[in-house]
Every structure is written in structure tokens, then in C-alpha cells.
């Protein structure tokens, strides 16, 4: 029984410790990544290029929603 | 006339046990909470309905073929079953017990006997096997959640990850609480049970179901119900704790506008996270791997039709089966137990501790940095419960200062909490799995 | 040159048996009926196509690994197979017969031999196993149908449930017809076969497939084809019967406007139905449970995305697999049998009797109540065949009185018929399953 | 063989009987339910409240159809 | 402290093997090509991500339960495993080798031992089993492709089928190349391996995966990656070959406007194709059958909701699982091999030969007919790679003559190439399967 | 080893031969089918009849896209 408690304590110490170590590492690597990306691979051209090249075989939901939003607005205007 | 008697003796009324009746009422209560009180209806409607179906007397929908055979306990079937399991006794209880502890080969032999005698797996049992026992459903839900998650606010302010880390203390404090209850002889939880219960504090449904299915399948029903119920109760559980731990002045703190995050950063983040998982904690790889995969599909911009399906048709289909499967675990003998009471109490404690630790961490970070950069109200969002907890932070912020919109700031710790509890899940699977 | 001969001897032309050729033509006929004559195309297109694929010579798409091994009948494989099944003879026919009657363990052993010899399950056989033998596909279709069903007209006029009950007499009269044919030595139907054939009269595709897969899998192909064909023929089968049993005056009866049904009533109805099923007939729980679940998702208003998926992506996916799987049962040795003729004749009789009983019940109810509340034309809608039968009622009503719109009134018995035949299915599974 | 006929008859009598008993019970309980709901839980407020609270993560098909219908109508008007 | 060491020794860094690290980099490279260079992203994003996940040390996501048990190689487990497999040695390598070559029964016994010892199949292994080993995923993709294919241009000009036939020479030339490499002792390909590699020249992803999973599963990862990469490289591989083999005058040839194709012709075509397959090459029945089924659903006009689902929700879901499953085969021991280099080289040769043969065939047909009916640029589209190759034809046509729109004309050979390589696949499965 | 090469050659000869035979047959049967269909079952009436009878339970994607296209056009016109 004492054993169970010690297992629980160990789990808490190591678990919580590991969570912090992991997320701390994530904070630093994320910052590093952001810095690198901002410096060497800003969005501008590269992000714009692939988009149109992708074949939108099906109109993705997002676009659809946007379209509908635009049209609803237009229709509302039209009605008023 | 015989047939009439037969119909009557096979009816639900004739066979209804008290436990089944109670569980049907529990199922109806879950439906009420889901439909009328909007308690996470996407999950609790299927779970509640599945719970009712699982407790229909004689239908055996949640039973395996062997369990159905044992329920009817025909002497010749019990004899063959006992032989298959290497038992002398043909007592149904002993047969069932031997079956649950059988080696894979003896298990197969028992299944063969049941099938030869004309018994089949119940529908919900099949759903459970395919959706949960295989681990697939929670992982696919996680993929869909990844495809719905915008890491922008987190990337704009990475240090909010610390808030997501702190809020996971609720998980481990609960583990300690559960083993303490066992030590005091009040409950009887193993360390695996304690770990699975603790994960309720992660406030993340699929993670809780995944961990429970691996560490404590017999508690899965209660754990899932507690997890989703408390996630729905976040707007009631968190505010008093948040108010108690912050001053009016702290709640008024305005945070600086988040910077714009480039597309490329968003594409790199899930890859970075995956690599960290691969390097540090392989046991979290299924959960976080699928999460990152979903997010990469969302952000990369070249597989929109896959991302769209992951967020819609696929996650909806999986949710239906996951919910019904969880419901199949709402059986009287497992749910109507003092353990469930313990789980419910420990669950709410876990939420409370997580909330408190998130808020305290925010205050601590302000003190460390000697500034007022973080409104401590966003700390509570670190428990995850996306996006409910972030909305609660926003609401309390607006109460203190009508110009203070915290929603976007709170989304950072909110999604950090999802990562944090998946990491915690990996540690627990590693140590006690 | 050897290779050329080999190719030729493995070709379809060389191996085509008369039965296979005939079944391919039957498949083409089903496609014609579905595409040109609009006979329930959602099911009959996949069924017809699956039927053609199942009869491609040498492809073995509808065969299990063992059946494929027996088809090629290599001596050493037959020897190993005979040993696995505990046979002395290695004659392919006897091996196949022993395999179909084998215990689960012997069955596994035979499968192992087939796999070791490099034989695999055909694609359609796998689809059948997953979709139909598990029971999953018909139940998921039923869930989707539940999510598409509006119980409003039924709730507005609950006594139309009696019409749905009366129309089920077609089912049981057909059972009696089938056993009589057996008694007279004309056919050779067991009581299980008779029950499965009777359910055609329920005019409900998934119910028919579910019952047939449990009671008479060898007749599944013919039963499914008959059920869907006659559902498509409802506009031709019903009107003469309806006209013969009603007077012009009766057909002119106008019915009072249906009252408005509140959202809460619609939410409570599937729950009420589920509880009744749980209390009275657990054997109907899978079918009616999934139906009620679908309907609750539709009506509760808080899980619209699940309801939407159940009505669209999920039911469409399941329909594709269900149809192909049913097609896999269109093999010559089972379909080209005098039994199929019997099934087709009994099926149309079942429809006719069901229609007649529905109409007569309506007239009987008018007499009992001493009024003219019900236009007997809506009685025929009690066979289900949603929404075709209700449209037929409406059409005949308009013929008699151009102002008389019966469609909504007929939807009540129409959906009542779905419940009625699911209850009948439960009784049959209980008694002869 | 006689046996088969008697089985068929039994099935008919009990099956048909059960269907009627079940649906009769359903008629009465449905009426009771409707009366109770109409008296104690009419739609008005309660039904209206939960609806907006539900997060329509995806625009449900129904709404979409409605929108499209509205817009088509608007467009037709606009054209004429 | 023990626990700390345990965590460290279970971490990815501690266990990372050189091969795994390399394969993770390969996975990242595939993601880069897919996301930045638009190399068939719908497949290469899931394949790349799956490849990374499959190589996470200690996670064992791509391993079966037995492979995971052997990886950890606990002495008592190895002993039990050796006994189950009938081995004397308990050396992990020998156990693994025996497992891979075991009879179905011994295989089951080994799985039982692994499960009794608490080992499970990895997530990706399960996906592979369900999606690819069963053959289901490539066939369902083919169904979806069929539902997206318009045979109009082919029907308007059926003789373009010859172009699709000629381009398949790339497949068989590559087979010969592969066996020659083996003969010369440079590589070690069996005839099955050679056939599976050749199919890369078919420029058709699902066909390549289907054939590779049947003939050479150990090469599946490399073959799939090569097939999709080269399909993406079509705009770079084909133009130089096309320019070299045609004169400026030939490239300027205008083709006559295609005639209008009636709905009925489009409905009849998939049925006609299915019947031809049934009569001549049953081994191509699964692939071409599902393709024709998808196309019939598209054209028949009465099952639009099924066709829509086959083209969207279903194909997207299957693509996700197919991609991850292919990725699970990107293990270092199989991919980092000189064979992969051979596959990559042979693959590009296959594409080149196919392209050249298509163009030459077009020129030959012009000469035979003594006219100028066909612009030889559309011949290259016969390799399939729909619709990329047709676009390439169009682009080169416009370069030579700005009024010369070849896209629709090139769609004929393009879809003919799909049929052609499926037929070639059937022949190979027949002869060496 | 010689064996492997001969297997490869056989595969090439028969494979390529079969592909040509099959596609040649397909060319001729397709032409025959087209001729028959054009003569005995031209589209006109028969194709028009079944379409409206089919219950479009869900608005098929195609139609939807068309509708949206039409509406977008209309909206654009409306704006200008
Ligand atoms: Na969390
Ligand atoms: Na019915
Ligand atoms: Na091709």
C-alpha cells in the first residue's frame, strides 16, 4: 500500500516534470523556428505560388462558406 | 399459450434488473443534460443513447458472444465452455471470470464454443472493438481536432505554453488523490486506475478515452462521462476559482495585440512538435502524431479536401461510433459502484486544481518578468476544454474591463493544454501502461 | 504458346458456365430496371453491378478463401483441407459441404490451409462479411433513415399507427403461404426461410436484409431483389387493390388539417419508442434502437452535424457497400432456383395482402368510430415503402377529389409501417432465430 | 410437415398479435406523452434557448439549402 | 532516479538508429516536395507523415504485435514465441524470420503469445492491414477515380485507345530492365518484384499500390513513392522526349472538333468494359470492375448522391488511410537499400519509354491512315497520370500553334492509359501472382 | 537465371500482346455500341424522363456548384 502511494508520488513528480521540460523545450524551439522562418522563409512569394497550382478538385468548404457569406450579403443589400 | 409465456419471459419487463433500470435512467439523464442543458451534446447524446441500449434486458447489445452464451447458461454450452477454458466448474460466474482472464488461445477457444452454440457479439460490443479497443476512434478524433485547431495565438506568444503545462498539475494531483483514497481504504483504485482517473483533469475527451481504454477499460464509461460532463461545466467550475485567486486590478490587465503569424510558421509548427515527440516521448506518438497530422493537413494548403473531410464527414462518423461505444461501457455492475462516485469527485477536484495552477502560473510569470504582460485570467484556459475555457477567460475579462478582449490571448494556453495533457498521457502510458 | 493456352484457359469465355452467364444477364436487367425504369436505383444499381461482378468466371470475387481453394481443387490442397475438416474424402464437393457445416475451430483450420496455399477472400466476400454478416450495414442504413424521418404526421394523428399494424398482416400471411407451399411439396422452405420471405411484405429494404441475413442468408440475394423491386412497383401494385376495396365516396373523404407538433414532442417520441422496445421486445432493439437514435439526432437540434452526416456521407457509403454485398449473393446456384420464383410470387402476394389489410383497417376504424375521419386510401401507405406508398395514396385521393391532399395524412401510416415491420422482424427473430 | 404448418400458424397469430399490442401501446403512450409535453413543456422558451447555444461548427445542410433557395429566388427576381 | 533513467532510455534520442533518422529526413523531404513543390500532395503529404511516424524509435507504430514483442525481446517471451513457431533457438532475429515465413496456424500462435505478453499492433500496422493488405483502399480509390472520369473524349475518338495501349510498353520494358539488372547481378529482383516495379510505368497510383501489395509488399513503400513522384514530374520528364520525337510541323497539327457523346453511350461504356473484362481477363476484374462501377454511378444519373460520396467523402477518407499505410512501409531496412535506387532509376526509364511509345504510336497511326488526323503530342498522354499528362500535351501544342487546344483530345489517350495499365496489372497478377 | 530473363520476356510479349488485343477489341466494340446506341437509343426522350423522377434527396454537388456559379455571376453583375 505504501508502495501505491510512492508510485503515485513518483508519477506526479516525473509526470509534471516531464510536461514542463517538454513544453519548455517547445517554447524555445518554437521561438527559434519562428525566427528562422521569418528570416529565411517569409510568406510572400513561396506561399502564394503553390496555392493556385493545387487543383481544387472540389470546392473546399471554406471557400464555399465564404462565397455564401458574400452572396448573402449581396442578397441582403439587394433586398433592402 | 407456451409461446405467449415465452414472449413474456423474454420481455424486458420480466427480466429488468434494478441495475439496468437505474442505468437506463442514467442514460435518460445524460440525454437531458445534453439536449436541454447543452452538455457537450455531440458526445453525450450518443453516449447516453448507447447507455440505454446497452442496458436493454436480454438484448445483450454490449456483450460479446461468450458473455451472451454465459448469460443464457445452457448446461451443455457451459460444459463446452468450461472445457475450452480449462475449468472443472461449469458455474456461469466462474466461466465468465476465467474468460476475462484467459490467454489469447483459450479466449479464441471460448469464442469458438459460443459461435458453435449460435451466440453472437452484440452490436455495441462490435462497435467498441472496432472503434475503441483498437485505439482508432480517439486517434481519428484527435486528427480531426488537429485539423480544426489554429495554433496562431500560441505561436504569437509561445510562453503561454507554460500556462498549459501548469494546468496539467490537476491531472497528477488527482492521481495522488486517487491513490490516497485507496491507501485510506475508502476506494480500491490501482495505480493504472488512478492514472486513468487523473486524465479527466486534462479536460480533453479523446485523450481521456484513449488513456482509459489502455489503462482501465472497466472504468471507461464513468471516466468518459465525467470528462465530458465537467468540460460542459467549465463555465460554472472555473469562475469562482479564478475570482478567488485574482485581484480586480489583475483582471483588468490589457494584453498587447498578438503579432501576425506567417503561413510558413504554421506549417512548421506541427512538424516541429512531431519531431520533439519522436525524440523525447515515443509513447505520446500516436496521440500527438495524429494531432499534428491533422494540423499539417489544415495548414499546408495543398490538401484542403482531406482537411475538410477530417474536420467533417470523418470526425462525425467516428464521433457517432465513439459515443455509442462509450455508452456500451455504461453497465450497472461497473457504473453503479462507489468507484464512480470517487471518479466524479476526483474529476471535479482535478478541474479545480488545474484551473488554480494555471492562474497561479500566470501570476508567477508576471512576477518573474517584473511586468504585467499576462492577464492571469487566461491561465485557467490552460486546462484545455477548447474553446469553452478560453471563452470563460474572455467573459471574466470583459466583466472587469469592458474593452478587454482576452479570447485570442486565451486560445494560446487553451491549445497548449491539449498538447500538455497528451504529453501527460504519454508519460502515464510509459510508466504504468 | 503454353502461356497463350494458359491465358485462354483462364479467360472468362473459356470458363463461363451457363448459370454465370444467366446471372450476368440478370444483373444487366437489374441495372436496366434501376437506370431506365427508376426501380430504387440507389440500391439496385449497386446490387445489379455487384451481381455481375460476383459471376465473373474464375475471378472468385464473391468466394471466401476456402471456396476459392476448393474451386481450383489442387490435390495437395484438398488433402490438407480434408484433414483440417476431419474428412476422409478429398472430393471438392464433400470438402465444401463439410466447410459450410464446420464448427468454428474446424472452419478456422480450413481457412488456415487455404491461406497457406495462397488463396484469398474475394473482394465482395470481404464486403459482405464486414457490411452484412456483422449486421452493421442494415442497422446504419436504418439509423440514417431514422435521421431522415419526420414523425410529425404520426404524432398529429397517432391512431394511424393501427393502419401500420394492419398492413403487417401481409408479412404473416406470406409466412403461412410459404409453409403451405412447403407442405404441398411444391417448394422446400424451412420456417426460417418462410419468415425471411414474409418480411418482403414489410416493404422495407434494410429490415428485409437484416432479417434474411440472420434467418436465411442463402436466400438473401433473391429476397433483397424482390423487396426492392416490389417497393419500386408499389405505384403499379397498389392502385387496383385500393380502387377495388373503396367506393368513390370513400375516396373523396377529406381529412382535417393536422395539428402542429411541438419540437419537444418530436424529441420525446424516439425515446418513448425505444423504452417500449426495451420493455417489450428486446429482439427488435438493434433495428428500432438505431432507428430511434437517428431520429433523436435529427430532432434534438443540438447535434445537427452528426444528423447531417448520418443522412448523407455515412448512409451513402454504407449503401454502396450494402448494395455490392447483396449483389455478391446473386450466385447462380442460389438464385436460379425454383425457390426464387416462389419468393417472387410470395413477395407480390405479401404486398397485395398488406395493402388490402391497411385499407380495410381504415374502413373498419371509420365504422367503429361511426364517422368519416379517415380516408381509406391512406391505409395502403401502412405497408411502408416510404415515401412511395404515401404518394400513391395522395395520387388516388386527388383523382377522386382534386382538392384532397392526402400526402401528409398518409405519411403517418407510412412511417408507422416502418415501426410495424421492425416489430414483426423482432418477433420472428425471437421465435425462429 | 404438419409441424411446419403449425409453426407458421403460431408465428402468424403471435406475430400479428404482438404487432397490434405493441402499436396499440404506442398509440396510448404517444397520446399521453403529447398531452404531458403540451401541458408541462410547451416549446416556447426552452426550445428557443438551446438552439443558439449549440455551436454550429459546420453550417448544417438544411440551413445551407434554405440559404441557396433564398438566394436563387433573389437572383431570379434580380434577373427579371 | 531510476525512473529518470528509464524515461531517458525509452526516449527517441537514446534509441534513434541511423536508419530511422535517415528515414525521418526522407519523410521530411517528401513533405517538402508535396507542400512546396506540389508533388501529388494528396498522397505524398500522408505518405511522408506516415513515414516519419513509422520511424519514431520505440513507438513501433508500423509493427505488428509480434514484431513489437521481438523488438523488446524479453527472454520468457522469446521462449514462448519460439515454442509457438516450432523453433529451438530463441534468438530474436531467427524468431522474426520464422514468424514472417510461418504457416497461418503458427502465425496465429505467435500472435497469441505476443498478446498474452501485453504487446499490441501499432496504429499504422492496423491501418495497413485494413486498408492495403485487404486490397480495399486501392480499389475504393479506383472507384472514386471512375466516378470522376469522363469517358466522353475517348468515346468521341475510340482509336485513341491504341495510344493508351502503346504507352504501356513502358511497363513491360521496365520489367525486362529489372530482370536484366538481376541477371547481371547488380540487383536482386524476383520476377514478382520486376512486375511490381514495372507497373510504376503505368503512371497510376492505386494500380501500382494494388499490384505491389500483391506481388512485392516489401517494395511497396519505394514503389508508391516512385510512382507518385514521377507522376508529379511528368511536366519535366515528358516534354524533352516529346520534342525529340516530333517535328515542328507535326506539333502544329490541329485536330477536328470532337463529336458530342450521348448520355446513353456514356452509360453503356462502363458496362461494355466490364463485360469485356469478365470475358477476357478475370484477374483484372477487381480493379476495372470498381472503376467501371464508379463510372456507371457517375453517368447513370439516378444515383447522384452515391457518385458524389464516392468522389468526395469516401475517396478522401480512403486517401488518408492509404497514404498513412503506405508511409508505414517506409522502414529503413526496406527503403534504404540499393533496390530502392534501382526502383527509382527503372521508374523514370519506364515513364520515358511509355511516353516515347505513345508518341511513336500516334505517328504510326497517322502513317497507316495516310493522313494527319492525330497530333502526335497527344500520344504521350497515354501513360495516364491523369490529367497532368494531357495538360502537358496541351501546353506543347499551344507552344507550336497558339490556336491548337489539344486538352480534350489528349483526355482520350489519358483515360485509355488508365484502362491499359489496369489490364497490364491483370496480366501480371495472372502470370506471376 | 536464364530462366528469369525468359520469364521477363514472356511477360513482355504476352502482356503487351494482351493489352493490344484487349484495347483493340474495346475500340471495335465501343464503335459498335456507339453506332447501336445512336441508332436505336438516342438520348432525347428516354434520358429526360427518368431524371425528374429520381428523388434528389440531397442536392447533388454538381448542381450545387452550378447554382453557386450562376449566383456568383449574378452577384458580380449586381455589384457592377
Ligand atoms: Na488539457
Ligand atoms: Na413496413
Ligand atoms: Na497507365
Amino acid at each position: 500500500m505504501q508502495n501505491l502511494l510512492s508510485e503515485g508520488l513518483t508519477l506526479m513528480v516525473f509526470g509534471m516534470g516531464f510536461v514542463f521540460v517538454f513544453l519548455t523545450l517547445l517554447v524555445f524551439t518554437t521561438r527559434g523556428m519562428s525566427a528562422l522562418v521569418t528570416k529565411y522563409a517569409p510568406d510572400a512569394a513561396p506561399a502564394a505560388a503553390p496555392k493556385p497550382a493545387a487543383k481544387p478538385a472540389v470546392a473546399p468548404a471554406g471557400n464555399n462558406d465564404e462565397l455564401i457569406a458574400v452572396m448573402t450579403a449581396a442578397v441582403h443589400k439587394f433586398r433592402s | 399459450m407456451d409461446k405467449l409465456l415465452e414472449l413474456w419471459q423474454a420481455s424486458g419487463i420480466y427480466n429488468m434488473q434494478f441495475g439496468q433500470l437505474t442505468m437506463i435512467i442514467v442514460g435518460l439523464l445524460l440525454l437531458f443534460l445534453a439536449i436541454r442543458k447543452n452538455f457537450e451534446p455531440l458526445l453525450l447524446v450518443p453516449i447516453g443513447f448507447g447507455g440505454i441500449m446497452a442496458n436493454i434486458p436480454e438484448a445483450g447489445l454490449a456483450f460479446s458472444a461468450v458473455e451472451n452464451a454465459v448469460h443464457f447458461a445452457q448446461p451443455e454450452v457451459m460444459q463446452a465452455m468450461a472445457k475450452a477454458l480449462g475449468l472443472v466448474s461449469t458455474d456461469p460466474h466462474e466461466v465468465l471470470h476465467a474468460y476475462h482472464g484467459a490467454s489469447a488461445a483459450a479466449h479464441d477457444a471460448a469464442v469458438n464454443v459460443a459461435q458453435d452454440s449460435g451466440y453472437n457479439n452484440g452490436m455495441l460490443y462490435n462497435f467498441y472493438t472496432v472503434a475503441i479497443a483498437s485505439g482508432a476512434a480517439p486517434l481519428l478524433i484527435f486528427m480531426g481536432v488537429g485539423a480544426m485547431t489554429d495554433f496562431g495565438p500560441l505561436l504569437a506568444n509561445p510562453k503561454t505554453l507554460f500556462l498549459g503545462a501548469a494546468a496539467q498539475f490537476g491531472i497528477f494531483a488527482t492521481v495522488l488523490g486517487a491513490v490516497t483514497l485507496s491507501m485510506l481504504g475508502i476506494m480500491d483504485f490501482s495505480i493504472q486506475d488512478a492514472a486513468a482517473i487523473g486524465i479527466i483533469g486534462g479536460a480533453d475527451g479523446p485523450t481521456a478515452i484513449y488513456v482509459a481504454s489502455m489503462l482501465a477499460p472497466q472504468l471507461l464509461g464513468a471516466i468518459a462521462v465525467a470528462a465530458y460532463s465537467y468540460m460542459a461545466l467549465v463555465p460554472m467550475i472555473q469562475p469562482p476559482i479564478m475570482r478567488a485567486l485574482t485581484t480586480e486590478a489583475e483582471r483588468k490587465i490589457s494584453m498587447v495585440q498578438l503579432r501576425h503569424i506567417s503561413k510558413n510558421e504554421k506549417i512548421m509548427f506541427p512538424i516541429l512538435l512531431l519531431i520533439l515527440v519522436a525524440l523525447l516521448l515515443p509513447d505520446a506518438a500516436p496521440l500527438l502524431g495524429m494531432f499534428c497530422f491533422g494540423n499539417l493537413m489544415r495548414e499546408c494548403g495543398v490538401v484542403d479536401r482531406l482537411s475538410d473531410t477530417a474536420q467533417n464527414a470523418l470526425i462525425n462518423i467516428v464521433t457517432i461510433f465513439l459515443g455509442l461505444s462509450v455508452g456500451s461501457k455504461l453497465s450497472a455492475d461497473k457504473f453503479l459502484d462507489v468507484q464512480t462516485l470517487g471518479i466524479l469527485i476526483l474529476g471535479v477536484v482535478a478541474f479545480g486544481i488545474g484551473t488554480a495552477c494555471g492562474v497561479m502560473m500566470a501570476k508567477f510569470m508576471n512576477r518573474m518578468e517584473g511586468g504585467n504582460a499576462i492577464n492571469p485570467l487566461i491561465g485557467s484556459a490552460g486546462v484545455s476544454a477548447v474553446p469553452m475555457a478560453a471563452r470563460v477567460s474572455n467573459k471574466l475579462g470583459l466583466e472587469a474591463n469592458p474593452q478587454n478582449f482576452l479570447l485570442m490571448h486565451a486560445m494560446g494556453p487553451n491549445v497548449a493544454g491539449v498538447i500538455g495533457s497528451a504529453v501527460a498521457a504519454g508519460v502515464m502510458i510509459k510508466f504504468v501502461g
Side-chain angles (χ1 to χ4, degrees), chain B residues 168 201-204 382-385 417-418 420-421:
Chain B
Q168 307 315 316
D204 194 273
V383 296
S384 35
V418 176
S421 39

Side-chain angles (χ1 to χ4, degrees), chain A:
Chain A
M1 268 314 185
Q2 198 54 44
N3 195 22
L4 187 64
L5 187 61
S6 91
E7 277 194 272
L9 270 170
T10 313
L11 196 55
M12 185 166 91
V13 172
F14 282 95
M16 208 53 213
F18 193 85
V19 168
F20 260 105
V21 168
F22 188 93
L23 294 194
T24 305
L25 270 170
L26 191 55
V27 169
F28 290 115
T29 50
T30 301
R31 280 182 181 156
M33 179 273 287
S34 282
L36 285 174
V37 167
T38 308
K39 194 162 177 192
Y40 298 105
D43 269 6
K51 215 32 207 280
K55 19 179 170 155
V58 195
N63 292 358
N64 218 329
D65 286 357
E66 230 173 85
L67 237 173
I68 288 178
V70 163
M71 283 185 285
T72 321
V75 165
H76 273 280
K77 256 193 194 168
F78 164 79
R79 279 175 160 177
S80 58

